[in-house]
Amino acid sequence: MKTAVITLAHGRHAHLAGQQQALRASTLRPGDYVVVAMDDPAIAAPHPDVSGTVLRVDSAGGNLPLARARNLGAETALDRGAELLVFLDVDCLPAPDLLSGYEQAARDPAGTGRLLCGPVTYLDPPGTGGYDLSGLARLDNPHPARPAPEPGEVVPDENPDLFWSLSFAVTAETWQRIGGFCEDYTGYGGEDTDFARLARRSGVGLAWVGAARAYHQWHPTEDPPVQHVADIVRNANLFYERWGAWPMGGWLTAFRERGLIRGGTGAERCELADGITGPREPSAAVP
């Protein structure tokens, strides 16, 4: 089975280099490595020990095209012969057994034809020498909001709202069945939950893969992500128009409590509060 790793990148060059270092230490090397550079001409070709390519994608209207970039990465990997697509956030370090874990789960009856998701541990800031890749297992502490089976376990799940795009895998056949991400989403938030809804509509559930562990490299962030409030409002409205439900409920509630937005609950449209501006709304057509 030829496995391709697909990573989107905009900045975070040190994290990208760390990911490539971890892939070089993998018990199973990727058959291909596709880096999709969004508005970042400084991203260079992958390390020679990780066979792959860099694609260039420009944003539209100043919003990073995450959905379009993932689709392009998948299409390119499939054209290059990939049978299993593994999507890893640029900040994620794969455990040595992540790729082999996803490959085995794709063949396991519990994971066949499903979106395969692995547990992710959020790391503390590294020391001056960076992360010790040989010691990542000692830091294993998966995020409590998602299932985290033991290595060797593959656990089916039918809740699309638990899907996340930090680390997941899908066979070529299942990807084509789903049809990819909705490219009406731009900027941060919502496109991954929409993808899981498209999967469910296509009869594709989730499966949690205990062996496919990843470790999210630390970087400064805000909770809720107020720096992305305009993107989240725009994409939340799009999601509601497509599916009749509100995504990212915790963030929308936190934004309302801070006076940053109005609505986004019941049938009330989500709007930025006075004095906060955002880009034009995208089309809401469901493919």
Side-chain angles (χ1 to χ4, degrees):
M1 177 179 288
K2 181 176 181 179
T3 297
V5 174
I6 299 166
T7 296
L8 313 187
H10 173 79
R12 304 281 164 82
H13 297 176
H15 288 170
L16 180 62
Q19 181 182 94
Q20 293 180 28
Q21 183 180 0
L23 286 172
R24 292 164 59 200
S26 176
T27 57
L28 177 69
R29 292 283 182 91
D32 201 359
Y33 182 52
V34 179
V35 179
V36 188
M38 302 175 294
D39 285 347
D40 192 342
I43 290 177
H47 190 280
D49 289 345
V50 185
S51 175
T53 188
V54 175
L55 310 177
R56 310 289 176 182
V57 178
D58 295 327
S59 64
N63 302 312
L64 290 178
L66 301 175
R68 178 159 55 92
R70 288 196 185 97
N71 288 345
L72 177 62
E75 292 163 6
T76 299
L78 293 173
D79 288 344
R80 290 158 63 98
E83 299 167 276
L84 182 68
L85 307 175
V86 175
F87 291 81
L88 274 182
D89 189 285
V90 68
D91 301 325
C92 283
L93 299 169
D97 292 334
L98 179 140
L99 294 182
S100 61
Y102 274 140
E103 280 202 10
Q104 292 168 12
R107 298 186 179 100
D108 189 305
T112 300
R114 291 177 175 268
L115 293 178
L116 307 172
C117 302
V120 177
T121 292
Y122 279 76
L123 298 174
D124 292 330
T128 55
Y131 294 109
D132 175 10
L133 298 185
S134 66
L136 289 178
R138 295 193 298 270
L139 305 177
D140 192 64
N141 184 25
H143 195 288
R146 299 293 190 280
E150 291 299 315
E153 295 181 340
V154 179
V155 180
D157 192 326
E158 304 305 329
N159 184 355
D161 293 338
L162 289 181
F163 174 78
W164 57 6
S165 55
L166 283 174
S167 171
F168 76 97
V170 59
T171 63
E173 180 182 359
T174 302
W175 172 268
Q176 291 162 348
R177 181 178 178 182
I178 298 169
F181 285 78
C182 173
E183 296 186 9
D184 291 337
Y185 292 89
T186 60
Y188 186 85
E191 84 289 344
D192 49 358
T193 307
D194 187 283
F195 179 72
R197 292 292 180 100
L198 289 171
R200 184 177 67 174
R201 193 180 68 178
S202 301
V204 176
L206 309 182
W208 293 92
V209 182
R213 284 170 136 72
Y215 299 86
H216 188 279
Q217 301 173 82
W218 181 88
H219 59 77
T221 187
E222 295 185 71
D223 187 18
V226 295
Q227 71 274 30
H228 298 298
V229 63
D231 287 351
I232 290 171
V233 165
R234 181 185 62 254
N235 288 339
N237 282 323
L238 172 59
F239 187 95
Y240 183 83
E241 291 167 14
R242 285 167 58 83
W243 302 106
W246 292 105
M248 304 175 284
W251 289 347
L252 294 183
T253 297
F255 291 155
R256 282 193 297 271
E257 292 174 347
R258 295 184 179 207
L260 298 174
I261 67 170
R262 298 185 295 270
T265 183
E268 186 180 358
R269 186 173 180 80
C270 191
E271 296 179 349
L272 293 167
D274 294 340
I276 301 177
T277 59
R280 181 178 60 85
E281 303 287 341
S283 166
V286 178

